[in-house]
Amino acid sequence: MGFLAYLSLHARQDWRWLGLRILATAALCGLGGWLVASQVLRGQIDQLGQQSHHRAEFYRQSLESLLSRNTSLPRIIAREDRLKAVLRHPESANARATANRYLADIRRDADINAAFLMDHSGLTLAASNFDQPGSYVGNSYAFRPYFLDAMQNGLGIFYGIGATTGDPGYFLTAPIEIEGQRLGAATVKISLDDFESALTRSGDKVLIADANGVIFLSSIPEWKYLSLAPLDAEAQRRIEASRQYRERHINHLDAGLKLQAAPYSVRLKLPDSPAQNTLVVSVPTGSLGWSILLLTRTGPERQNALFAGIATAFALAFVFSMIIYFRLSVRRHEERVQADARLRQAHQELEQRIAERTADLRATNASLEERIDRLKTTERILRETGDNAVQAGKLAVLGQMAAGISHEVNQPLTAMHTLTDNARDLLDRGDFGEVRSNLDGIKQMAERMGRIAGEIKNFTRKSLVEKQPVPVLNVVCQAAMLVESRRRLADATLTLPEIPETLAVLADPQRLEQVLVNLLLNALDAVAPCPTRHVAVLAAVDAERICIIVRDSGTGIPENALAHLFEPFFTTKSSGQGLGLGLSISRMIVQELGGTIEAHNRENGGADFCITLDRA
Ligand code: ADP
């Protein structure tokens, strides 16, 4: 794995891990925030519950002190003789008037709403409001629980709307006993209006519900005379019978409010505001099974809890971020250190490898130099050996030639000997014409012998062949020029190769020209007796070598001559026409140039002579 690829893969994995960690951390922060928020909310609600409870207790004490202040008042009144006198003599107007005044005084002095006297049937005989419209006097309250309770149990306590006045009030009734008999009852009515207005002014949402759950005092006016829960039929009947709330039908509030000891939360819609979470604290009060309900909005507490939760979540997020950042920084640092170490190691390895390679190369170089030296030595030895071998080959050929030479030389020598003898005889006879003819013959013989000697000398000379690039077309043209007169004599056509001028072989130009001239002369000799006389020089080229072909349309090489063509002094030409040395010398030259020469007949007549040499 490349170093950069390794780093980038590592980085990608890091980012994936980082993403997961951020998610987990966010979840953790959210959870922490939620826990703190719920704890804070619980604490705040507890606190609020306690405060609400204290306030509800305060209202309870206020109410109970208000009620208890006058609890004994009806009993005191019940002892009053002026009232008893009325019961004894209900027909006495004087007694009634006295009682009326007494009750009016009591009302004023005790600061109560009303006081009145009923006979044993519940009929009102005297009242503090005797002189006002809507006086109780003459009305029967036998149906009122406070009367019934008082007559039966000795004390009647009741809260309800005044059947006559329509004003709500707290009724306290005590029986009046005369000589051990309950002949009537004295009732005081206490107004709770001031208490109710105090509730309203307090700003608290306070409800006071009776034992049936009917709200009869409330700082929320709309909720007055509604029950917390639907009333059962019996309760509804009792209320209607006692005309506690006059003719009202009591509907229920349906706000989820209950009477229970522990504070509880309920989502509540108050008449003047939308639904909100509200803490409800209820405290029992009085002897009639009443309850004080204090409703407190928990919005601020919830907000506080929410803020605390959010702050905690952010604080946690900050702390976690710092931890993650710190850990990532540490890891980055470690990775950087490791990467540096790896880089250093890779560098060292690279340097070591380079040093090893350099050493290898040096060794290879040394061995190559050594091999080159050896090759040079071998080449020199080969060259010397080759030169010697060529020379030795020449000498061997010369050995072969010896027989031919002796034949070739002996024959003219014998002829010359005979001609010389003849010439001497002819001189003696004075036949100068014949002498001249004999001398010409001798001259021809001598010339022939001279040519043979020249060829042999040329052949045996140890020459240094200097190979160089020789343009093929150029050397062929040179050779063609040299044989031009012979071509014309034979009346033959000569075609030159169609090759680029730059195409060259490695050769000695004079020696190659000599070979080509020899081959062209042979070709012209071969076509001379034929009706169509055509000679062509062609070239076949490959990447390394070039084959120069001398082609003719001549008689072709006789079958029995093919095996001896390149032997010295082999000729099929008539005596005096050829020495039979051309091809053997040509082969020697071509071999000296490092090439080959071969000959073969063509299918359609004529022969091909191919010289193959290295390409320059
Ligand atoms: P010379 O030409 O003096 O005979 P060469 O060594 O040049 O000697 O040729 C040897 C013989 O090869 C020739 O005598 C001839 O028989 C044969 N020869 C050479 N060239 C050709 C050719 N182009 N076609 C047919 N025969 C040939």
Side-chain angles (χ1 to χ4, degrees):
M1 186 188 300
F3 186 63
L4 284 175
Y6 169 82
L7 280 183
S8 74
L9 181 65
H10 224 62
R12 273 209 298 280
Q13 283 175 350
D14 268 2
W15 282 115
R16 236 192 343 258
W17 272 110
L18 190 62
L20 280 176
R21 281 182 187 199
I22 286 172
L23 273 182
T25 309
L28 221 59
C29 294
L31 184 68
W34 178 78
L35 281 174
V36 168
S38 53
Q39 279 300 322
V40 168
L41 184 62
R42 191 176 303 164
Q44 294 249 315
I45 294 287
D46 282 353
Q47 209 177 346
L48 190 66
Q50 284 173 13
Q51 287 170 0
S52 297
H53 199 81
H54 288 146
R55 293 188 69 73
E57 275 294 317
F58 166 74
Y59 290 124
R60 184 184 69 78
Q61 283 172 12
S62 304
L63 181 60
E64 285 184 359
S65 81
L66 175 65
L67 299 177
S68 64
R69 210 165 51 217
N70 296 305
T71 311
S72 52
L73 192 58
R75 284 206 185 90
I76 295 168
I77 298 170
R79 289 172 185 271
E80 180 55 44
D81 286 340
R82 279 172 278 190
L83 298 187
K84 286 182 181 177
V86 176
L87 291 178
R88 281 198 191 100
H89 305 287
E91 70 289 352
S92 166
N94 195 24
R96 286 193 190 194
T98 308
N100 279 338
R101 271 198 304 278
Y102 169 71
L103 289 172
D105 289 346
I106 287 290
R107 190 204 68 78
R108 189 184 61 245
D109 295 345
D111 190 22
I112 57 174
N113 187 256
F116 55 95
L117 169 70
M118 291 169 288
D119 67 7
H120 66 281
S121 67
L123 181 69
T124 305
L125 300 178
S128 57
N129 60 353
F130 68 94
D131 53 352
Q132 290 168 16
S135 165
Y136 298 133
V137 178
N139 291 320
S140 173
Y141 297 109
F143 62 91
R144 288 291 213 179
Y146 54 82
F147 173 74
L148 298 170
D149 285 350
M151 294 306 278
Q152 281 167 19
N153 307 322
L155 182 63
I157 306 173
F158 179 71
Y159 181 85
I161 298 174
T164 310
T165 60
D167 296 330
Y170 186 69
F171 297 85
L172 287 163
T173 307
I176 299 173
E177 292 184 356
I178 299 172
E179 292 160 3
Q181 284 197 340
R182 289 177 180 170
L183 296 180
T187 301
V188 296
K189 181 184 176 186
I190 302 160
S191 170
L192 298 183
D193 288 353
D194 289 344
F195 181 74
E196 191 173 28
S197 25
L199 289 184
T200 309
R201 282 197 308 277
S202 71
D204 284 336
K205 306 291 180 197
V206 190
L207 316 174
I208 300 179
D210 67 13
N212 292 315
V214 178
I215 300 164
F216 61 92
L217 285 181
S218 172
S219 62
I220 307 164
E222 293 86 345
W223 287 9
K224 212 162 162 184
Y225 304 122
L226 296 174
S227 60
L228 298 177
L231 291 177
D232 59 36
E234 173 57 24
Q236 193 82 38
R237 191 198 59 72
R238 253 197 337 265
I239 290 169
E240 280 169 13
S242 67
R243 297 182 65 204
Q244 187 175 4
Y245 301 113
R246 294 187 92 182
E247 287 78 26
R248 275 175 214 281
H249 181 80
I250 304 299
N251 293 316
H252 71 275
L253 181 59
D254 195 20
L257 293 173
K258 305 181 289 274
L259 299 174
Q260 67 176 48
Y264 62 94
S265 272
V266 66
R267 198 161 173 79
L268 207 60
K269 183 183 174 336
L270 296 175
D272 55 349
S273 60
Q276 286 181 35
N277 287 301
T278 307
L279 185 72
V280 183
V281 170
S282 74
V283 174
T285 182
S287 55
L288 296 176
W290 294 354
S291 296
I292 296 175
L293 284 90
L294 188 71
L295 315 177
T296 316
R297 290 283 160 91
T298 57
E301 284 69 21
R302 287 183 178 277
Q303 224 163 28
N304 289 346
L306 186 67
F307 286 149
I310 291 172
T312 306
F314 273 108
L316 282 173
F318 178 72
V319 170
F320 282 132
S321 308
M322 290 312 291
I323 291 171
I324 290 172
Y325 175 76
F326 178 71
R327 291 190 59 185
L328 278 178
S329 301
V330 168
R331 184 157 353 132
R332 287 271 175 284
H333 178 70
E334 284 172 357
E335 281 174 1
R336 214 173 301 137
V337 169
Q338 284 174 4
D340 283 351
R342 274 196 292 273
L343 205 61
R344 260 201 308 282
Q345 194 183 347
H347 192 247
Q348 279 172 0
E349 282 174 7
L350 199 65
E351 276 187 346
Q352 194 180 341
R353 233 180 289 159
I354 288 170
E356 285 170 6
R357 288 274 163 85
T358 311
D360 283 355
L361 278 175
R362 277 211 191 99
T364 313
N365 200 24
S367 111
L368 271 177
E369 278 175 359
E370 196 183 330
R371 272 190 213 173
I372 288 168
D373 283 348
R374 261 190 264 143
L375 273 175
K376 277 182 182 162
T377 312
T378 311
E379 192 189 353
R380 185 176 48 78
I381 292 167
L382 274 176
R383 199 169 49 242
E384 287 172 8
T385 312
D387 288 352
N388 292 340
V390 168
Q391 198 57 27
K394 284 182 181 178
L395 291 175
V397 172
L398 206 55
Q400 280 181 10
M401 285 180 177
I405 290 170
S406 64
H407 173 72
E408 290 293 322
V409 174
N410 274 340
Q411 202 182 8
L413 274 179
T414 309
M416 282 169 73
H417 194 75
T418 308
L419 285 173
T420 310
D421 284 345
N422 286 347
R424 199 184 301 156
D425 291 340
L426 289 170
L427 271 177
D428 290 342
R429 274 189 270 150
D431 190 352
F432 296 109
E434 274 305 305
V435 171
R436 178 175 294 272
S437 157
N438 277 8
L439 285 176
D440 284 345
I442 289 167
K443 190 184 172 198
Q444 277 178 6
M445 301 292 170
E447 278 173 0
R448 180 177 169 83
M449 286 169 68
R451 281 210 324 268
I452 291 171
E455 288 286 2
I456 290 169
K457 184 183 168 207
N458 190 26
F459 176 61
T460 54
R461 190 176 58 218
K462 185 176 178 179
S463 62
L464 267 179
V465 176
E466 292 235 347
K467 283 200 275 186
Q468 62 187 70
V470 180
V472 175
L473 194 59
N474 195 20
V475 73
V476 171
C477 286
Q478 288 288 338
M481 237 155 64
L482 292 176
V483 300
E484 179 55 21
S485 57
R486 180 76 181 85
R487 180 192 71 79
R488 254 190 266 124
L489 203 65
D491 191 21
T493 59
L494 176 60
T495 314
L496 299 181
E498 291 177 2
I499 50 172
E501 285 181 11
T502 49
L503 191 68
V505 287
L506 274 180
D508 178 319
Q510 279 79 38
R511 308 284 266 163
L512 180 57
E513 184 189 280
Q514 186 185 343
V515 173
L516 284 170
V517 166
N518 195 24
L519 294 182
L520 286 171
L521 287 174
N522 279 349
L524 290 171
D525 283 346
V527 298
C530 298
T532 51
R533 296 172 292 280
H534 184 66
V535 177
V537 182
L538 308 162
V541 184
D542 71 14
E544 291 176 350
R545 297 170 76 81
I546 296 175
C547 179
I548 304 167
I549 304 161
V550 179
R551 175 171 294 174
D552 64 66
S553 60
T555 52
I557 305 158
E559 253 339 281
N560 55 358
L562 268 172
H564 310 286
L565 282 183
F566 297 97
E567 289 174 9
F569 298 111
F570 175 81
T571 181
T572 58
K573 294 171 188 171
S574 52
S575 180
Q577 291 289 305
L579 289 174
L581 288 175
L583 285 180
S584 62
I585 291 171
S586 292
R587 183 169 70 171
M588 194 55 63
I589 292 170
V590 171
Q591 280 177 348
E592 272 187 286
L593 294 174
T596 58
I597 182 167
E598 44 194 42
H600 54 84
N601 282 320
R602 302 184 61 231
E603 276 181 18
N604 302 328
D608 271 356
F609 281 79
C610 306
I611 311 160
T612 306
L613 292 167
D614 284 338
R615 192 170 170 172

